[in-house]
Amino acid sequence: MSVLKNKKILLAVTAGIAAYKTPLLVRELVKKNADVRVIITPEALEFVTPLTLSTLSGKPVEWEFTKEKGQWNNHVEMGLWADLMIIAPLTARTLSAMADGYCDNLVMATYLSAKCPVFVAPAMDLDMYQHPSTQNNLQKLIENGNHVIPAASGELASGLIGQGRMEEPENIAQFIEEFFQKNQPLQGKKILVSAGPTYEPIDPVRFIGNHSSGKMGFEIAKKAEEMGAEVTLVAGPTSLSIDNQKITRIDVVSALEMKDAIDEKFDQQDVIIMAAAVADYRPKEVFDKKIKKKTDEMSIELVKNPDILKYLGTKKSDKFLVGFALETNNALEHAKGKLLSKNADMIVLNSLEDEGAGFGKETNKVTFVTRDQPAQSFPLKSKAEVAEDILNFIAQNLKKNA
Ligand code: CTP
């Protein structure tokens, strides 16, 4: 899955011959599931048609400050909408306007309104490109925080050969993709997630377990990887599969196995998320042969399993430790108690008082409980969305503590 999925990209086309390649750029970005809007300078309409660009982007293309019937084309809204703006091709004229802040068309007004990262892909003849004014203007753009995708070398429209061609659309798309990759909220972070139930063996064919499906933990693992983290998933017995090769999956059965697997990986992690429903008790004795039904009654003596989260809390140092709590009454109070007793940084509280929350469901309704911030409650959401909320919250808090 590309990092460009659902990213809002505003392409501004200016009047150079390379504009004829911009439909390919739109197609590249759309193929990677980006949400693309196109604006264009009136002069660039000579080089590429709005119909082509709007067909490929699936959205109207704008070039005037007003629509028919005197309606304003809101450049401020467009500038603020974008996660990233790319001006391609960038002509010498628009380059100079950008360097000076000179605003005489929709592209420039939108550029000046944009708060997102702005990329430019210059395209001009080789002598124009090398001219000190051009190079000075490019330098000024960089100083102003813009990103320049240098022109490529090759045959130019003039017939001359040299540097000045707009970089190829697939390379521009790759530049943009790499930029988002580097700036992902959890880039470079190591995250371990536990998921699913644990099974505590009674004899070779029987166990004590619970109904946890593992969905919540699996969604967190998948989303954390998408947000740039290096993810280890320690999974109890579950039928779920994960098709992301970048996630390291360790399968375990019992609570003791889960503790050992997590302990072994603990030191390298930045964040540990205990989404597993660990069995609190296990049979004291595990029979090596199947127990026969000889008596009318039987009992199994249980001993307490280690509380993995609590154990990790005793040696957490600067790691960010997240636990889950499933509560039926006095939910907030109990969650706060668990936060402190287990020395965690955050408890994701599921209250069974809330409809749609809990085991086996596709949805969850959670509240984040931390030490220093007021409890934050979310509406009922899909588990994938809840995973994203949890990870965004963690990313913000890691940044604060950095
Ligand atoms: N947990 C753990 N090891 C255990 C039990 C739970 O690491 N042996 C973790 C779970 O993964 C979860 C959190 O602790 O993150 C849940 O805390 P817990 O006190 O077990 O909550 P409940 O299961 O709701 O327990 P209780 O019945 O005591 O309320």
Side-chain angles (χ1 to χ4, degrees):
M1 182 72 67
S2 169
V3 282
L4 293 187
K5 186 179 171 210
N6 296 334
K7 289 285 183 308
K8 300 189 193 89
I9 298 183
L10 182 64
L11 168 64
V13 180
T14 71
I17 180 63
Y20 84 91
K21 291 185 182 173
T22 53
L24 295 173
L25 177 56
V26 175
R27 205 186 57 175
E28 278 297 315
L29 296 170
V30 169
K31 235 172 32 188
K32 291 173 192 286
N33 295 312
D35 187 0
V36 182
R37 273 166 90 172
V38 184
I39 53 175
I40 185 166
T41 59
E43 296 80 6
L45 294 169
E46 303 272 349
F47 294 97
V48 62
T49 75
L51 184 60
T52 312
L53 292 165
S54 66
T55 305
L56 290 167
S57 65
K59 296 202 169 62
V61 172
E62 312 288 353
W63 59 91
E64 286 176 325
F65 281 106
T66 53
K67 299 186 211 284
E68 277 171 41
K69 298 180 193 147
Q71 217 186 339
W72 184 40
N73 251 338
N74 191 341
H75 57 84
V76 178
E77 180 273 322
M78 277 191 274
L80 296 181
W81 168 85
D83 294 321
L84 183 143
M85 181 175 185
I86 163 86
I87 304 178
L90 173 73
T91 58
R93 175 182 151 174
T94 301
L95 168 63
S96 133
M98 284 174 80
D100 288 339
Y102 178 73
C103 180
D104 67 344
N105 60 27
L106 184 70
V107 166
M108 278 308 299
T110 308
Y111 163 67
L112 292 172
S113 306
K115 286 197 170 144
C116 61
V118 178
F119 279 64
V120 296
M124 57 199 84
D125 209 60
L126 82 165
D127 293 319
M128 289 173 79
Y129 192 63
Q130 291 308 337
H131 196 282
S133 306
T134 305
Q135 291 300 318
N136 287 341
N137 283 339
L138 284 172
Q139 197 48 44
K140 212 160 161 190
L141 253 56
I142 293 170
E143 281 160 21
N144 286 347
N146 301 287
H147 304 258
V148 175
I149 302 175
S153 292
E155 202 173 314
L156 302 166
S158 61
L160 297 172
I161 293 174
Q163 192 180 12
R165 287 161 65 105
M166 184 181 83
E167 189 48 271
E168 291 304 321
E170 57 270 35
N171 294 342
I172 295 178
Q174 200 180 328
F175 263 97
I176 294 176
E177 201 169 14
E178 280 166 13
F179 172 80
F180 278 116
Q181 237 143 23
K182 265 192 273 160
N183 289 282
Q184 299 231 78
L186 293 171
Q187 185 59 39
K189 298 291 175 210
K190 294 199 170 76
I191 298 191
L192 184 146
V193 186
S194 71
T198 62
Y199 286 179
E200 308 302 323
I202 298 169
D203 68 16
V205 295
R206 301 181 179 95
F207 60 84
I208 296 172
N210 61 61
H211 287 301
S212 167
S213 63
K215 273 184 204 139
M216 194 63 245
F218 273 61
E219 290 298 343
I220 294 172
K222 278 193 272 180
K223 190 54 83 180
E225 198 286 321
E226 279 172 35
M227 288 168 73
E230 199 179 303
V231 179
T232 304
L233 172 65
V234 178
T238 159
S239 57
L240 298 178
S241 59
I242 204 146
D243 59 5
N244 185 333
Q245 301 293 322
K246 291 196 205 140
I247 295 175
T248 305
R249 174 173 176 169
I250 302 170
D251 286 306
V252 297
V253 177
S254 65
L256 291 178
E257 281 178 27
M258 184 171 274
K259 176 173 180 264
D260 286 348
I262 294 174
D263 210 13
E264 202 194 311
K265 299 279 175 194
F266 182 78
D267 285 344
Q268 302 112 53
Q269 308 303 319
D270 298 298
V271 179
I272 295 99
I273 304 174
M274 284 297 299
V278 186
D280 288 323
Y281 293 90
R282 67 178 184 279
K284 187 170 184 184
E285 186 182 356
V286 181
F287 292 85
D288 57 2
K289 301 248 162 28
K290 189 178 165 204
I291 302 169
K292 289 289 181 192
K293 48 178 179 307
K294 288 184 198 137
T295 53
D296 284 346
E297 283 182 13
M298 81 166 288
S299 54
I300 298 170
E301 198 177 343
L302 301 176
V303 290
K304 208 162 191 188
N305 266 329
D307 185 324
I308 304 173
L309 183 57
K310 194 167 188 173
Y311 164 71
L312 300 176
T314 61
K315 55 172 200 168
K316 92 178 191 78
S317 65
D318 58 351
K319 298 177 196 308
F320 197 88
L321 209 51
V322 182
F324 276 68
L326 187 65
E327 305 292 346
T328 51
N329 58 309
N330 293 340
L332 261 183
E333 201 181 306
H334 283 134
K336 195 97 196 178
K338 277 177 192 169
L339 181 80
L340 301 178
S341 70
K342 301 190 189 215
N343 196 24
D345 296 288
M346 169 181 183
I347 292 286
V348 179
L349 166 66
N350 289 294
S351 175
L352 281 190
E353 290 161 324
D354 292 321
E355 234 174 87
F359 280 3
K361 303 248 168 57
E362 292 302 328
T363 51
N364 215 347
K365 186 173 180 330
V366 297
T367 300
F368 296 166
V369 182
T370 57
R371 281 153 202 271
D372 50 357
Q373 298 166 55
Q376 203 176 326
S377 289
F378 292 79
L380 188 71
K381 293 187 177 192
S382 73
K383 286 191 172 169
E385 289 168 325
V386 173
E388 198 169 352
D389 288 340
I390 293 170
L391 292 162
N392 278 329
F393 187 87
I394 293 172
Q396 277 161 16
N397 280 273
L398 289 179
K399 227 193 278 169
K400 255 195 257 164
N401 299 341

